[in-house]
Amino acid sequence: MDRNPAIGLVQQAAAISVSSAYVADDLAAALFPKSDIILSDRMLSNGRQYLRSLVQEIETEICMIAVKDFGLNHDIIVEIGNSDRVHCYALLQKAGLLKSQSLLGHVFTNVQRVELSARLLNKISQADLESVLTRYLDDEDSSTADAAMALLVAQSRDNVGPGIVKAHIDNLPAEILLALAWPISAALQKLSGYAGTALIQATEKRLIEHDEGAGTQSRAQRLAQLIDQTAANQQNPHPLNDGLDLFLARLARRSGLPVDQLIRFTAEPNMVRLVVTMRAIGLPVDQALSIFSALDGGGQLLTPASFREIDDTKSQELVSDWSANKLYQDAQRQLNAHLAGLSD
């Protein structure tokens, strides 16, 4: 559909009849959201932009590998591999192949990360944020210096410009790449009419070569591990002192929570679960209030009294629950909802 906008009226009518079947679902989601998180128009736009960019990155790489490594000489595949626009997105969208919870959760996390980066840039310059890591480049521990350089390189790849949301395959968890690569490969076959095996071979090769360690999050976690192990007197984590990626990695190490989960906490009303997490790991009051101020985007205020009234033991119990396996947590929520329904 992306390649042929002049679709006949009959085909358009058939496509609309399929999409219109989901109007009630769309309306229900809009009128009765299950989450307390409010998705702004900007976040929705960024989410679509990120997802389109993600599909484009993967389809381009599969086509290029098929051409260069497996000798595929097919005009449409070559064109897609050299293109600067997405081709498979509309086909995948219509087929419902971009709606998995894991994929949309990944999209949301990355969109929220962009939001947090924008908030920080309202409080500290880009130059100052970049200088945060350069202090580790001359560290006497060569491993720390190397890890800082690797993170700087990854961040420079990610920072394509303010307000621009772009995906990078290196930043994808393996399960997300796996879930997308095969549908995209199948869509490429449909769009091109190619019936050989080169696209399948190219997809397999890209999946085998995927290295999660090259991602920004993994490199931030490596640096966090080194600096927290070798410097017991290091200052507590703070986004204005560490930058967003290193801050999240250090907070994840101390709390036992995944970085993606901490990012989701920052999108929740009043960032209450982030506040509880900071209390659970024993951050000083002034530090916690400063972090809240740096990351908050709604003009909310965390007071010393509110932070101190959080019970230490209860906060640690909650963080322990939140750190459980995600599939386990999801099952618990569904079981609780089911049992609540039975009791009505």
Side-chain angles (χ1 to χ4, degrees):
M1 291 184 180
D2 254 2
R3 294 182 53 77
N4 182 15
I7 303 172
L9 292 178
V10 173
Q11 292 92 328
Q12 289 186 43
I16 290 172
S17 69
V18 172
S19 65
S20 295
Y22 298 100
V23 167
D25 291 341
D26 294 342
L27 185 60
L31 292 178
F32 310 108
K34 295 180 180 179
S35 169
D36 291 329
I37 295 172
I38 298 174
L39 299 173
S40 67
D41 290 342
R42 182 181 67 254
M43 291 185 72
L44 292 173
S45 175
N46 284 345
R48 294 187 188 98
Q49 183 181 340
Y50 176 82
L51 193 50
R52 291 177 67 90
S53 173
L54 192 53
V55 172
Q56 181 184 348
E57 287 282 311
I58 297 173
E59 70 181 21
T60 299
E61 286 212 14
I62 290 176
C63 289
M64 292 179 67
I65 293 171
V67 171
K68 293 180 179 179
D69 296 358
F70 297 98
L72 179 58
N73 186 17
H74 188 287
D75 290 345
I76 295 178
I77 298 300
V78 172
E79 179 189 341
I80 294 175
N82 292 319
S83 176
D84 59 358
R85 67 182 183 89
V86 64
H87 292 73
C88 294
Y89 183 85
L91 188 57
L92 295 169
Q93 182 186 37
K94 288 290 185 181
L97 291 170
L98 299 176
K99 292 184 176 181
S100 74
Q101 284 191 350
S102 58
L103 173 59
L104 295 179
H106 170 79
V107 170
F108 174 77
T109 298
N110 280 273
V111 169
Q112 179 62 14
R113 184 185 175 280
V114 171
E115 288 281 312
L116 292 175
S117 296
R119 293 174 192 176
L120 286 185
L121 287 175
N122 287 330
K123 301 173 176 68
I124 185 173
S125 70
Q126 182 65 45
D128 287 340
L129 276 177
E130 290 173 357
S131 70
V132 160
L133 293 179
T134 57
R135 70 178 185 267
Y136 295 113
L137 296 180
D138 296 325
D139 197 283
E140 59 186 28
D141 177 18
S142 61
S143 296
T144 300
D146 290 344
M149 176 58 73
L151 180 54
L152 277 169
V153 170
Q155 288 181 337
S156 66
R157 174 197 64 203
D158 295 346
N159 295 330
V160 293
I164 300 175
V165 183
K166 184 169 176 58
H168 293 281
I169 297 181
D170 285 343
N171 288 336
L172 286 182
E175 63 271 17
I176 298 297
L177 178 58
L178 179 66
L180 271 177
W182 287 116
I184 289 173
S185 184
L188 288 170
Q189 186 274 325
K190 292 290 185 186
L191 289 173
S192 66
Y194 170 70
T197 61
L199 287 174
I200 293 176
Q201 291 173 305
T203 304
E204 290 174 339
K205 187 175 193 297
R206 186 60 185 87
L207 290 171
I208 290 170
E209 293 177 346
H210 185 57
D211 178 15
E212 290 188 82
T216 303
Q217 191 176 120
S218 295
R219 290 182 174 181
Q221 289 170 338
R222 173 60 176 160
L223 180 57
Q225 177 187 24
L226 289 169
I227 63 176
D228 284 346
Q229 283 180 349
T230 58
N233 61 346
Q234 274 284 339
Q235 60 187 349
N236 283 313
H238 195 294
L240 298 182
N241 297 329
D242 296 318
L244 182 62
D245 295 313
L246 184 56
F247 163 73
L248 290 168
R250 296 184 69 196
L251 193 61
R253 280 184 54 79
R254 294 199 182 189
S255 65
L257 298 169
V259 167
D260 285 358
Q261 192 169 19
L262 291 169
I263 293 176
R264 287 195 294 273
F265 287 178
T266 66
E268 296 169 354
N270 300 320
M271 298 194 295
V272 289
R273 288 205 288 175
L274 182 70
V275 173
V276 170
T277 300
M278 292 191 291
R279 182 64 166 172
I281 65 173
L283 287 185
V285 176
D286 291 347
Q287 187 86 3
L289 268 59
S290 179
I291 291 171
F292 185 95
S293 175
L295 296 180
D296 177 60
Q300 304 297 321
L301 180 66
L302 176 65
T303 66
S306 297
F307 188 72
R308 288 192 181 98
E309 73 181 10
I310 301 172
D311 181 79
D312 285 346
T313 302
K314 183 60 177 176
S315 65
Q316 291 164 8
E317 290 174 354
L318 285 171
V319 170
S320 178
D321 288 343
W322 299 335
S323 66
N325 180 280
K326 183 179 184 302
L327 292 175
Y328 176 82
Q329 292 184 63
D330 290 344
Q332 284 236 322
R333 280 191 289 270
Q334 292 187 45
L335 288 168
N336 289 339
H338 173 68
L339 292 174
L342 289 178
S343 64
D344 290 342

